[in-house]
Amino acid sequence: MDKDMHKRLDQDTAQATDEDTGKAMDKEITGQDQQRAGTQVQKSTQSRPRQDRSKDRRTRDLWAAAAGLVAVGTAVVLGELTASLVSPTVSPVTAVGGAVIDAVPPGVKEWVISVFGTADKLALLGGMALVIAALAALSGVLEVRRRFAGVAIIAVFGAVGLVAVLSRADLTANAIPVPVLVALVGIALLRWLIRKLETWLPDPYGAPDGATDGEPAAATVPPEPDPSETRAAAQPVPVVAPAAETSPPETPAAARAAEPPAGEAGPARRRFLLALGGTAAVAAVAGVLASTLRGAAAVVSDVRSKLAIPTAASPAPPIPAGAEIRLDGLGPLVTPNKDFYRIDTALRVPLVDPAQWTLKVTGLVEREIELDFATLLAKPLTERHVTIACVSNEVGGDLIGNAKWLGWPVRELLAMAGPKPGADMVLSRSTDGWTAGTPLEALTDSRDALLVVGMNGEPLPLEHGFPVRMIVPGLYGYVSATKWVTELKVTRYADDVAYWTPRGWSERGPIKTSSRIDVPQDGRSVTAGTVVFGGVAWDQHTGIGKVELRVNRGDWKQAELGPGISKDTWYQWKLALPLTPGRYEVQVRATDLEGVPQVEESAPVAPSGATGFHTVRVDVKS
């Protein structure tokens, strides 16, 4: 009986051993199948021609660039929308743009204005958009090739935006978190889109996440063996001779692993494209909302439209008969608001609520004064026609205009404050931090230097300084015509400098006698016979005495000069000349009321205004 029992136990043990051995062999074969399947996938990838893999990489990079554009673009637009709600005066884009304007060398500024004129800010925004787009696309490409490389670029975006925001004079606490928000949203969107792209288009070179081109993938670490498998492996295993084939046969599991999952590429592609398109749609909607909120200037624009400016206590004198010369192509004597030039450093028009506006007089004064908008409107206001010009106006340029301004004389406000002896300059400051240094004498003498609230019979347009700006006859705008003005600091030139002075411009900026030919324009063809020339001349606060023309450097011929509105405005002129067929060079010069002719020698606008005779070339045909 004992022998039978031992025999049965031996048989059971042998059977169990055989079963364990078979399971171990099955698992070993399965592992070999999986290893061969993985090897076959790698061989399949690596066996593709390098040209095809390069093409796949380029396709992947293009979609990654699109993901970067959409991610960063959406973040920037959402940042602008957020800023329009919590910080209307400062946003990341305007802060960076303002910092660029502040840092750009004067020569570059003059080149931009000479090329783009009053569209200089649009050109700057366009240039910024191109730079942001290029870096955004680069962030997508880098992110798909090496994780967090693209994220680093967006983080730098955020840091630059934060520094720019913190540097603005009109900074508010609400503006500080916005660039941080932009960076975080951009990073999150980029990672989300790149993950979806990697699901659809894996790296054709087979590099795992975090590996670079040419680096081998990390070796696969085998799993910890099961204890039962260890025991089974300890049992003797029959030795099976290998088959005569040179490579292991392809099993069904290996074949399936070597092929992409059926139907997987299509859904992955759709998921990526839906994510990309949906994010872009969000950006478009946010952009429309941000543009609506900022473009309408909401409350401020509505307040301006309902504002009734007072009647002037001292109205503008009537325009003299004959002051406006009727001639086709010659602009109006008084420039309409919509056509008036705009040159300033504000990338976005500051929005100042008149109810919150105040003007402070500080510095070297006996009494500091603070003036609000209602008090200013209650003052006896003066109305005058005054021509103002930008120092960047080239010879023959159009950065000049004439308007009817309504405001309170600055000299009366300064008289209330009482400037102290030794003061010789007033540093006026805009709400966005821009400053102008004006000679104290020009603000306290008899000229009509005004704190302006109205322009051509209506409240100041937003882009021209609403609710209050300065106008000073006889000085270029960069030293006098401060828009959105909030402070007048009485000081000394030796103690303070204005915005443009350390950038290479002269301190005081008096207007130079100038003239311009408007009709016919340079390069135009005209019919032989009597050709009528016309244009404008100016020397604000001194006045124009005469205008002359010469043809092909011949004798000067005096033109018919309109009487002008006042010595603070430009004058229109015209002259009819008999011309036979041919090509002619025509030049103009003006002489002021003191008998001093304008300077013939050509000089650039920097540092104190351009000089030279405006010259046109006319082709006279029979």
Side-chain angles (χ1 to χ4, degrees):
M1 181 177 180
D2 291 337
K3 290 180 179 181
D4 292 340
M5 183 176 296
H6 283 299
K7 185 177 180 179
R8 285 197 299 273
L9 287 172
D10 290 341
Q11 290 174 346
D12 291 343
T13 301
Q15 182 177 0
T17 301
D18 291 341
E19 290 177 356
D20 291 342
T21 302
K23 289 179 181 179
M25 292 179 66
D26 288 343
K27 289 184 177 181
E28 182 179 354
I29 292 172
T30 301
Q32 291 173 351
D33 287 345
Q34 292 173 347
Q35 183 177 2
R36 284 195 296 270
T39 304
Q40 188 164 349
V41 171
Q42 186 175 5
K43 288 182 177 179
S44 174
T45 300
Q46 299 297 332
S47 64
R48 297 185 61 213
R50 185 172 184 84
Q51 183 178 1
D52 290 347
R53 285 183 285 152
S54 297
K55 182 178 180 181
D56 291 346
R57 168 62 67 85
R58 288 194 298 270
T59 300
R60 191 171 186 250
D61 286 348
L62 286 174
W63 283 113
L69 280 170
V70 170
V72 173
T74 302
V76 170
V77 171
L78 289 175
E80 292 300 294
L81 177 60
T82 303
S84 68
L85 296 173
V86 303
S87 175
T89 58
V90 179
S91 74
V93 170
T94 58
V96 172
V100 170
I101 292 173
D102 292 348
V104 71
V108 176
K109 169 187 172 291
E110 293 312 316
W111 177 82
V112 171
I113 292 177
S114 66
V115 173
F116 298 102
T118 55
D120 57 336
K121 294 169 187 62
L122 183 61
L124 173 61
L125 287 173
M128 288 177 58
L130 289 176
V131 171
I132 291 173
L135 293 176
L138 178 62
S139 71
V141 174
L142 292 180
E143 187 66 22
V144 81
R145 291 195 174 193
R146 178 179 288 277
R147 184 173 297 175
F148 302 127
V151 165
I153 292 180
I154 299 179
V156 172
F157 268 148
V160 171
L162 180 60
V163 171
V165 166
L166 292 173
S167 71
R168 305 320 294 165
D170 47 350
L171 172 68
T172 62
N174 290 341
I176 297 175
V178 178
V180 179
L181 174 66
V182 170
L184 293 177
V185 170
I187 289 170
L189 288 176
L190 181 65
R191 286 300 310 147
W192 179 59
L193 291 173
I194 292 299
R195 282 198 301 270
K196 290 190 174 296
L197 175 61
E198 290 171 337
T199 302
W200 169 36
L201 297 175
D203 191 341
Y205 286 90
D209 288 342
T212 57
D213 294 345
E215 291 181 354
T220 303
V221 179
E224 291 290 334
D226 186 87
S228 63
E229 296 177 5
T230 304
R231 289 194 302 270
Q235 301 295 327
V237 179
V239 178
V240 180
E245 58 189 4
T246 57
S247 61
E250 183 178 297
T251 64
R256 287 192 300 271
E259 297 174 358
E264 182 66 21
R269 177 178 180 273
R270 285 193 293 273
R271 284 193 291 270
F272 170 72
L273 293 179
L274 284 174
L276 192 69
T279 306
V282 170
V285 173
V288 171
L289 290 175
S291 177
T292 300
L293 289 174
R294 289 195 178 277
V299 176
V300 176
S301 181
D302 184 60
V303 169
R304 178 190 175 276
S305 66
K306 296 177 181 178
L307 179 65
I309 56 176
T311 302
S314 175
I319 296 176
E324 184 160 18
I325 294 175
R326 304 295 179 178
L327 181 62
D328 289 343
L330 185 59
L333 184 64
V334 178
T335 310
N337 290 355
K338 63 182 180 63
D339 298 329
F340 211 93
Y341 80 95
R342 178 198 165 196
I343 296 291
D344 52 54
T345 62
L347 192 59
R348 175 174 289 130
V349 174
L351 304 178
V352 182
D353 185 351
Q356 305 298 321
W357 177 86
T358 59
L359 174 65
K360 296 179 180 179
V361 182
T362 62
L364 299 176
V365 292
E366 299 294 340
R367 296 165 295 279
E368 291 196 351
I369 295 177
E370 184 168 334
L371 183 72
D372 61 30
F373 192 65
T375 302
L376 176 59
L377 292 185
K379 297 293 184 181
L381 302 183
T382 296
E383 186 180 60
R384 294 290 185 269
H385 287 94
V386 177
T387 297
I388 61 172
C390 180
V391 70
S392 297
N393 197 34
E394 300 279 356
V395 172
D398 59 359
L399 300 182
I400 182 172
N402 183 49
K404 183 170 66 174
W405 310 95
L406 175 70
W408 189 40
V410 180
R411 62 176 175 272
E412 297 187 19
L413 176 62
L414 292 177
M416 293 172 58
K420 293 182 177 179
D424 59 3
M425 188 254 274
V426 173
L427 189 73
S428 55
R429 187 178 302 275
S430 169
T431 186
D432 63 351
W434 187 84
T435 54
T438 309
L440 179 61
E441 179 185 3
L443 296 176
T444 54
D445 63 15
S446 61
R447 78 185 75 194
D448 292 312
L450 302 175
L451 290 170
V452 171
V453 297
M455 180 178 182
N456 288 332
E458 63 181 67
L460 275 173
L462 301 183
E463 65 272 19
H464 289 296
F466 182 82
V468 183
R469 70 171 296 169
M470 284 177 58
I471 292 292
V472 182
L475 301 177
Y476 286 118
Y478 82 102
V479 297
S480 65
T482 305
K483 303 175 184 177
W484 314 288
V485 62
T486 58
E487 182 185 6
L488 301 180
K489 179 184 178 182
V490 180
T491 182
R492 301 183 182 93
Y493 279 104
D495 298 333
D496 281 296
V497 293
Y499 182 90
W500 285 115
T501 303
R503 291 168 171 82
W505 296 84
S506 62
E507 282 185 336
R508 298 172 186 263
I511 289 281
K512 295 181 177 179
T513 306
S514 301
S515 55
R516 187 181 74 195
I517 300 173
D518 291 340
V519 181
Q521 294 181 354
D522 186 34
R524 291 297 178 88
S525 297
V526 297
T527 304
T530 301
V531 179
V532 181
F533 291 80
V536 289
W538 61 91
D539 188 359
Q540 294 94 305
H541 202 56
T542 300
I544 297 296
K546 65 179 178 180
V547 173
E548 299 167 293
L549 265 69
R550 70 179 179 185
V551 179
N552 294 338
R553 307 296 175 106
D555 296 334
W556 290 102
K557 300 181 183 298
Q558 189 165 336
E560 175 189 339
L561 183 66
I565 301 175
S566 74
K567 64 182 182 180
D568 287 337
T569 68
W570 60 14
Y571 295 63
Q572 292 186 333
W573 60 266
K574 70 176 181 178
L575 178 62
L577 295 174
L579 297 178
T580 57
R583 295 185 62 84
Y584 296 89
E585 177 191 83
V586 182
Q587 293 180 305
V588 62
R589 74 173 180 184
T591 301
D592 67 22
L593 284 172
E594 296 177 354
V596 180
Q598 73 178 86
V599 177
E600 180 177 4
E601 181 183 358
S602 294
V605 295
S608 58
T611 61
F613 294 158
H614 185 214
T615 303
V616 299
R617 290 162 184 83
V618 180
D619 187 9
V620 180
K621 296 185 177 180
S622 57

